[in-house]
Amino acid sequence: MTLQYQLKEGNYHLYDLSTPASKVTGEHRLRLMTDTVALAFDLRTGKLHEHGNPTRIHSWATTARRRLRAAGSVDSANDIVVVSGPLPVEEINKCLQINGYCRHMLSRLSTLPHGKRVGHSQAH
């Protein structure tokens, strides 16, 4: 499954590019529409675990941390990081496509532009 986020009408749309495009709309299957996106990943490796609606991702991370701690893997539990908000769609897609990219994105998080601001040249 090849997934890609696109920003449309102020919302993040997650499309499944492995499905055929609709003959009517020309778009691939819509898997998710959300106001903001959350990414859960491993701090050490940058491996992406989950992505999507922030409420679901934060819940997933809390459960995963609790289970890891109960199993005695405290370090692994502490390495689960969740980043959410209006992230640039290009950065989100790189996290989906490039193994370990989340760690690189996290190091630059404070300098990333607001994900929903459209530059003047992109608006037309």
Side-chain angles (χ1 to χ4, degrees), residues 1-6 13-18 39-41 45-51 88-105:
M1 185 180 322
T2 305
L3 301 174
Q4 182 184 66
Y5 282 93
Q6 295 177 15
H13 292 100
L14 178 63
Y15 289 98
D16 182 354
L17 300 182
S18 63
L39 304 168
F41 58 93
T45 66
K47 178 186 177 210
L48 181 65
H49 293 297
E50 293 284 327
H51 60 91
V89 73
E90 297 83 20
E91 293 294 313
I92 298 168
N93 287 330
K94 285 180 184 178
C95 287
L96 268 60
Q97 297 163 358
I98 302 170
N99 191 22
Y101 188 82
C102 291
R103 191 171 87 174
H104 176 67
M105 184 197 67

Side-chain angles (χ1 to χ4, degrees), residues 72 82 114:
V82 177
H114 188 287

Side-chain angles (χ1 to χ4, degrees), residues 13-102:
H13 292 100
L14 178 63
Y15 289 98
D16 182 354
L17 300 182
S18 63
T19 62
S22 166
K23 292 178 182 176
V24 176
T25 64
E27 293 185 350
H28 294 274
R29 181 174 174 226
L30 180 64
R31 307 258 319 169
L32 172 72
M33 184 173 66
T34 183
D35 186 35
T36 56
V37 173
L39 304 168
F41 58 93
D42 185 276
L43 181 61
R44 274 187 268 167
T45 66
K47 178 186 177 210
L48 181 65
H49 293 297
E50 293 284 327
H51 60 91
N53 179 284
T55 303
R56 185 182 70 80
I57 300 307
H58 283 284
S59 176
W60 175 88
T62 299
T63 302
R65 288 181 191 120
R66 182 175 37 81
R67 288 179 179 165
L68 285 166
R69 286 185 181 112
S73 299
V74 176
D75 289 341
S76 294
N78 292 340
D79 281 344
I80 295 177
V81 175
V82 177
V83 173
S84 62
L87 301 167
V89 73
E90 297 83 20
E91 293 294 313
I92 298 168
N93 287 330
K94 285 180 184 178
C95 287
L96 268 60
Q97 297 163 358
I98 302 170
N99 191 22
Y101 188 82
C102 291

